[in-house]
């Protein structure tokens, strides 16, 4: 979900281009918020299951940090591969 | 013939074209999100390892914030396979749609 989407818009009249760009912006915002929510849920589910107190244990905090970082790195990698496949780039089968 | 620069398919208004474009974009975003979630669960989120009837629970989850080589390879392969499955199912859906149920 990025600028590649704008690549096919060259031939359009200006107002249509703006409309598409605004659509893409909206989608990106919505997508970011969705990702935020699902990431929180995932890391909470994976890292927190001790409810003897309200505050987070140090270990839980560390886990959540790593979980989030890991997912974001993963998401970037997936994005790269996804873009390659979208463009029909051939890759070795290994 | 269409006077504008980007010809529309026959019988499609500009509004419809925008609607279809938006739907297409939303589909693509959803595809990406599901792919990402699925491959994370399959490749990175190694909490449970099932061996026969037993579920092993790794004591320390998310030992580090980096992705190791194994996870990287798994992610690449998972994305590739997911993509292929997406294509397969798409083919089957469009072929099946022409047969009366």
């Amino acid at each position: 979900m990025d600028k590649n989407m704008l690549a096919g818009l060259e031939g359009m009249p200006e107002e249509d281009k703006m409309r598409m760009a605004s659509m893409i912006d909206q989608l990106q915002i919505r997508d970011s918020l969705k990702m935020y929510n699902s990431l929180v849920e995932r890391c909470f589910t994976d890292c927190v299951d001790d409810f003897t107190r309200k505050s987070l244990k140090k270990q839980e905090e560390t886990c959540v940090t790593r979980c989030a970082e890991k997912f974001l790195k993963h998401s970037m990698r997936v994005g790269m591969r996804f873009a390659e496949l979208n463009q029909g780039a051939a890759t070795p089968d290994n | 013939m269409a006077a504008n620069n980007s010809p529309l398919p026959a019988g499609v208004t500009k509004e419809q074209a925008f609607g279809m474009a938006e739907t297409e974009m939303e589909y693509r975003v959803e595809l990406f999100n599901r792919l990402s979630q699925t491959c994370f669960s399959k490749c990175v989120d190694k909490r449970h390892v099932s061996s026969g009837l037993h579920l092993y629970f790794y004591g320390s989850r998310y030992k580090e914030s980096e992705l190791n080589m194994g996870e990287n390879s798994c992610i690449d392969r998972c994305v590739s396979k997911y993509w292929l499955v997406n294509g397969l199912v798409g083919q089957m859906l469009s072929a099946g749609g022409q047969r009366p149920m």
Side-chain angles (χ1 to χ4, degrees):
Chain A
M1 189 74 239
D2 63 353
K3 305 286 163 41
N4 285 329
M5 292 229 167
L6 294 169
L9 304 186
E10 276 102 62
M12 295 171 96
E14 202 53 41
E15 59 168 26
D16 291 350
K17 249 194 264 192
M18 304 244 317
R19 190 167 163 185
M20 283 298 271
S22 137
M23 236 193 265
I24 291 170
D25 274 347
Q26 296 252 27
L27 267 177
Q28 262 174 333
I29 292 171
R30 242 187 293 158
D31 184 47
S32 298
L33 293 174
K34 252 189 245 182
M35 208 244 252
Y36 179 18
N37 263 330
S38 67
L39 184 53
V40 169
E41 183 177 14
R42 176 185 287 276
C43 296
F44 179 86
T45 305
D46 290 356
C47 294
V48 178
D49 44 22
D50 174 10
F51 301 103
T52 53
R53 44 178 33 98
K54 286 186 180 176
S55 54
L56 287 173
K57 299 193 293 204
K58 188 70 191 150
Q59 165 202 334
E60 289 170 333
E61 221 182 281
T62 308
C63 176
V64 166
T65 308
R66 289 179 184 152
C67 165
E69 287 192 36
K70 212 156 187 170
F71 187 87
L72 289 170
K73 289 181 178 139
H74 157 86
S75 190
M76 283 200 306
R77 191 181 185 93
V78 170
M80 287 192 328
R81 300 291 166 247
F82 192 76
E84 284 168 12
L85 288 165
N86 255 320
Q87 285 154 20
T91 52
D93 181 17
N94 63 0
Chain B
M1 285 278 42
N4 53 349
N5 296 334
S6 37
L8 297 172
V12 175
T13 68
K14 202 203 275 197
E15 276 313 299
Q16 286 174 319
F18 270 111
M20 291 194 292
E22 184 162 28
T23 301
E24 162 79 25
M25 284 195 282
E26 279 173 351
Y27 157 78
R28 210 154 274 275
V29 166
E30 182 70 5
L31 168 62
F32 177 85
N33 286 335
R34 287 178 185 232
L35 188 165
S36 186
Q37 304 274 9
T38 305
C39 290
F40 190 84
S41 298
K42 288 208 180 274
C43 292
V44 181
D45 185 20
K46 292 275 174 62
R47 282 172 304 144
H48 307 281
V49 173
S50 72
S51 168
L53 296 168
H54 302 286
L55 271 176
Y56 293 96
F57 207 105
Y58 282 141
S60 55
R61 283 164 268 188
Y62 299 114
K63 276 196 294 246
E64 48 175 9
S65 64
E66 295 297 322
L67 296 166
N68 63 43
M69 247 175 24
E71 287 167 332
N72 278 333
S73 309
C74 180
I75 291 168
D76 292 350
R77 293 165 190 158
C78 178
V79 172
S80 170
K81 287 193 155 187
Y82 195 101
W83 186 263
L84 291 170
V85 169
N86 191 59
L88 262 175
V89 172
Q91 276 180 344
M92 292 169 64
L93 284 175
S94 59
Q98 285 156 17
R99 281 198 302 272
M101 297 293 252

